[in-house]
Amino acid sequence: MRGVNDLGKRTVIPFGPQHPILPEPVHLDLVIEDEKVIEAIPSIGFIHRGLEKLAEVREYPEMVYVIERICGICSFGHGLGYVTAVEGLMGVEVPERADYLRTMWHEMSRIHSHMLWLGLTADSFGFESLFMHTWKVRERIMNMFDLTTGGRVIHSVCKVGGVRKDVGGEMLERIASEVRDIRKETKELTKVFLNDTSVKNRLCGVGILSEDDARDLCAVGPVARASGINQDLRLNGMCKYGELGFEPVTGKSGDCYARCKVRILELGQSLDMVEKITSVLPDGPVEVPVKGPLPTGEFMMRLEQPRGEAFYYVKGNGTKHLERMRVRTPTNMNLPSMVRMLQGCDLADVPVIILTIDPCISCTER
Amino acid sequence: MGNFKISGLILRSLFRRPATSGYPAVPKEWGERTRGRIEIDAPECILCGTCARKCPTEALVVSKAEATWEIDRMRCVQCGHCVEICPKKCLRMAKEYTAPGYEGRTDLIEIPVAKKKTSDDGI
Ligand code: SF4
Ligand code: SF4
């Protein structure tokens, strides 16, 4: 039994919402005993923007620009999820070329998201030069976005019925050659992330999430896959993944190192997919005209974003406005897992563990 | 396993050109599709107000009575939707961004309608 003296050793340390390591505002009350975290109590709600409500006053074609701004990293994925849901509601069939282009951009955004994450993680364990080298490579993919969509962060290319911009032969060649360069540079970074002793010391055996816990807590995306759950919505027939011969990457140990490894391996996979698309892209139109009000009814779709499964729900009522729109983002699902990972870890590992779920609080709060 | 796995990368970076460019001494090259800012070809505009009604951020105000087209540069998010839907195709996306400043910037453009009316009415 605990005595009064033992209880006295417990301290509650507030962590966030402003913290040098946190890219986004989440607040945690860390109950600490002897430098070990006993419990972590999260609270969010600092940046709720009410974007879902806007669907009631913006017409559905314009709403896509709002949805894209749910997140600055998975901006393309959110646009894609929304337009696919609206297309499902309206029964619109998208041309094949548009579907391939969407897949390509979606994979490019996975590359930049994972690279951003790798850099931030290196930064969180104090490996500044690795952080900068990772972001240097990431810059190339951002430039490819600027080249093909006209925007580095917010792309505004998805529209209901297809895509707004076509990518021609010359651009495709440039993308393919960039992808080859990025692959070379990524190989070197992979060596550091997976083999360097100082990286391993900070990641191996830290923040373990067992497979059972991952299932019980409904973990999604790389967090679930790193714990051994073979779950990836890209296998569910979305976009053109079926034609690209894609197999999800899974880990076993469920620690920070496994989550890092899953993301690094996915990076290589995404590069391969982008390169493949540049060679198999079929000719044809990139959009079909979509006019008129939304039909009455509802539609739900799920999508694999860089951070995991996202969920979109739309409900039409016969006007040009949605009656209800709902987005559930991957971080929302991964927060309970993060709390579990934090239990029993060292205080010094808290930033690294929080980062390994790749938290996006702006997404979560919308 | 091993230490200093990054040393090769660092050494190479030491002898390479910097990855960043010396902006503003070295001017930024704009991509061919870069969405910088909205510009209007005023004589073509018919003040229909479609762009203002459909702008997702309400950055545009079109006044038929005063014959003005106004854009709040800080509100505009360069989505390009107005360019797409303008019936006269008189809006375009320029590559250069609006220069940063200490205050918000609104550009008020007067639309020359009087002349058009005269000729249309045949007066
Ligand atoms: S810019 Fe185009 S859409 Fe806007 S008022 Fe003028 S003609 Fe209409
Ligand atoms: S580019 Fe988009 S945000 Fe800017 S004025 Fe046009 S419609 Fe509005």
Side-chain angles (χ1 to χ4, degrees), chain B residues 54-76:
Chain B
K54 305 270 176 176
C55 169
T57 60
E58 296 170 5
L60 299 171
V61 179
V62 177
S63 163
K64 201 154 196 167
E66 282 159 38
T68 54
W69 180 93
E70 193 181 339
I71 181 165
D72 184 339
R73 297 283 177 198
M74 293 295 160
R75 265 180 169 260
C76 171

Side-chain angles (χ1 to χ4, degrees), chain A residues 250-269:
Chain A
T250 52
K252 274 197 192 102
S253 52
D255 58 357
C256 291
Y257 182 76
R259 290 189 277 280
C260 180
K261 193 170 176 182
V262 164
R263 289 195 177 96
I264 283 236
L265 297 180
E266 284 187 0
L267 203 61
Q269 241 181 6

Side-chain angles (χ1 to χ4, degrees), chain A residues 66-209:
Chain A
V66 177
I67 300 293
E68 280 182 334
R69 283 162 175 84
I70 287 180
C71 177
I73 305 301
C74 3
S75 146
F76 185 82
H78 282 303
L80 177 61
Y82 169 78
V83 295
T84 321
V86 174
E87 282 157 7
L89 178 67
M90 302 181 88
V92 174
E93 194 71 35
V94 179
E96 209 180 11
R97 187 177 174 90
D99 228 2
Y100 267 107
L101 286 174
R102 285 177 176 185
T103 317
M104 182 184 84
W105 278 315
H106 195 41
E107 282 316 299
M108 277 164 68
S109 78
R110 193 177 315 276
I111 297 168
H112 102 78
S113 172
H114 281 4
M115 288 224 164
L116 175 117
W117 178 85
L118 287 165
L120 288 177
T121 307
D123 183 47
S124 79
F125 52 69
F127 206 154
E128 292 298 316
S129 44
L130 185 55
F131 155 60
M132 286 183 204
H133 275 93
T134 315
W135 278 34
K136 187 184 92 181
V137 183
R138 175 175 175 261
E139 209 45 34
R140 287 171 168 262
I141 210 84
M142 304 298 277
N143 289 341
M144 284 304 102
F145 267 125
D146 189 35
L147 176 81
T148 53
T149 71
R152 286 161 52 87
V153 176
I154 305 284
H155 315 303
S156 298
V157 275
C158 266
K159 68 187 284 188
V160 179
V163 291
R164 294 166 82 204
K165 288 185 176 129
D166 198 357
V167 179
E170 216 173 277
M171 272 185 195
L172 289 175
E173 274 164 34
R174 256 194 83 183
I175 295 175
S177 91
E178 281 289 318
V179 163
R180 284 191 285 272
D181 289 350
I182 295 173
R183 193 181 288 121
K184 256 187 246 154
E185 297 192 40
T186 314
K187 266 197 188 134
E188 297 191 62
L189 291 172
T190 308
K191 265 187 234 156
V192 186
F193 273 107
L194 298 185
N195 300 324
D196 195 273
T197 319
S198 45
V199 177
K200 282 190 143 183
N201 285 346
R202 288 306 305 271
L203 298 181
C204 285
V206 175
I208 295 176
L209 182 74

Side-chain angles (χ1 to χ4, degrees), chain B residues 40 45-51 62 69 86-88 90-91:
Chain B
I40 183 168
C45 173
I46 51 167
L47 293 166
C48 66
T50 312
C51 53
V62 177
W69 180 93
C86 171
K88 297 295 285 181
C90 61
L91 294 173

Side-chain angles (χ1 to χ4, degrees), chain B residues 83-99:
Chain B
V83 179
E84 220 167 79
I85 53 162
C86 171
K88 297 295 285 181
K89 297 280 167 239
C90 61
L91 294 173
R92 74 178 182 95
M93 184 66 79
K95 287 187 183 118
E96 303 76 24
Y97 296 109
T98 307

